[in-house]
Amino acid sequence: SLIFSVDVTDLNGILDVEFERSFFDSIYDDTDDLFFILADGDEVNFTETITAQNRSLSIELSSGTEDVEIIGTIFGNSIIT
């Protein structure tokens, strides 16, 4: 997982993140799988755009959010089973 420290001061915020699939990805049984995303420990809504090279996430955050954790299955050359 990757953990980001954020400071959401507006009523709502959007965190846009793009990963190269060779760096960080989420795959199960050779098929794209959803990332699991938590903001301050709670699951949040997000949208995703997937290409052959990248995965882009747009994560909805509420005011006061401090930490965002994105959980996938592949980090670099490591695969989590």
Side-chain angles (χ1 to χ4, degrees):
S1 69
L2 299 175
I3 300 174
F4 297 87
S5 293
V6 297
D7 184 15
V8 181
T9 56
D10 289 338
L11 184 59
N12 292 304
I14 300 290
L15 175 64
D16 292 319
V17 182
E18 183 173 327
F19 298 111
E20 289 184 21
R21 297 181 75 143
S22 61
F23 170 71
F24 190 62
D25 208 346
S26 187
I27 296 176
Y28 179 74
D29 281 341
D30 296 323
T31 303
D32 291 333
D33 196 15
L34 290 177
F35 287 99
F36 187 64
I37 302 177
L38 303 173
D40 293 337
D42 294 322
E43 195 169 353
V44 294
N45 294 323
F46 67 96
T47 58
E48 180 175 27
T49 303
I50 301 173
T51 68
Q53 294 82 24
N54 299 303
R55 290 183 73 163
S56 300
L57 307 173
S58 186
I59 306 164
E60 299 176 23
L61 302 174
S62 56
S63 181
T65 300
E66 296 178 348
D67 294 309
V68 176
E69 183 174 7
I70 303 173
I71 302 166
T73 59
I74 297 173
F75 184 75
N77 292 327
S78 300
I79 298 174
I80 300 167
T81 55

